[in-house]
């Protein structure tokens, strides 16, 4: 599960709107929007977002790390596929 989905899922599970999460976490509404769209989370937002979602900071950081690892793996696969396609095109 992506970090963005984790935030959205937990917000909805708590019955919160984005505005309510914004107030509880003291993070601007636009930033909540962007975080849920998959934009990066700034270090100074970790504690506040954890508080707003009712989860630990470590859970937030684990999710961010998992999301990063998934993105790196996707990029690695994409790069490998492109290299294989170039090699096949050079053979033909």
């Amino acid at each position: 599960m992506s970090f963005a989905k984790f935030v959205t899922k937990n917000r909805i599970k708590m019955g919160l709107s984005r505005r309510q999460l914004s107030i509880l976490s003291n993070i601007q509404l636009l930033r909540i929007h962007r975080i849920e769209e998959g934009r990066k989370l700034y270090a100074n937002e970790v504690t506040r977002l954890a508080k707003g979602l009712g989860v630990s900071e470590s859970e937030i950081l684990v999710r961010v790390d998992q999301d990063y690892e998934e993105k790196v793996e996707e990029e690695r696969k994409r790069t490998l596929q492109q290299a294989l396609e170039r090699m096949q095109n050079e053979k033909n």
Side-chain angles (χ1 to χ4, degrees):
M1 172 187 328
S2 74
F3 179 69
K5 287 180 183 175
F6 169 78
V7 171
T8 303
K9 177 184 170 195
N10 279 280
R11 176 181 60 77
I12 291 169
K13 185 172 132 183
M14 291 182 66
L16 299 173
S17 68
R18 286 178 175 163
R19 182 174 301 283
Q20 290 169 320
L21 179 57
S22 171
I23 292 166
L24 288 173
S25 60
N26 195 28
I27 297 174
Q28 292 181 355
L29 180 58
L30 181 59
R31 282 294 302 141
I32 297 294
H33 242 279
R34 289 182 175 160
I35 291 166
E36 287 191 356
E37 289 174 347
R39 306 258 180 104
K40 67 181 174 181
L41 177 69
Y42 295 109
N44 65 351
E45 295 170 328
V46 171
T47 303
R48 293 182 288 165
L49 190 58
K51 180 182 174 187
L53 289 173
V55 298
S56 68
E57 289 178 42
S58 61
E59 189 169 359
I60 294 281
L61 293 172
V62 165
R63 296 296 178 165
V64 169
D65 188 50
Q66 288 173 343
D67 199 35
Y68 174 77
E69 288 177 7
E70 289 172 7
K71 288 177 182 177
V72 167
E73 181 63 19
E74 288 172 10
E75 182 61 28
R76 187 191 68 76
K77 287 179 182 178
R78 194 171 22 257
T79 301
L80 181 58
Q81 183 63 36
Q82 289 170 348
L84 289 172
E85 288 172 2
R86 279 195 304 273
M87 289 172 59
Q88 286 179 343
N89 289 338
E90 289 174 2
K91 283 183 181 179
N92 296 334

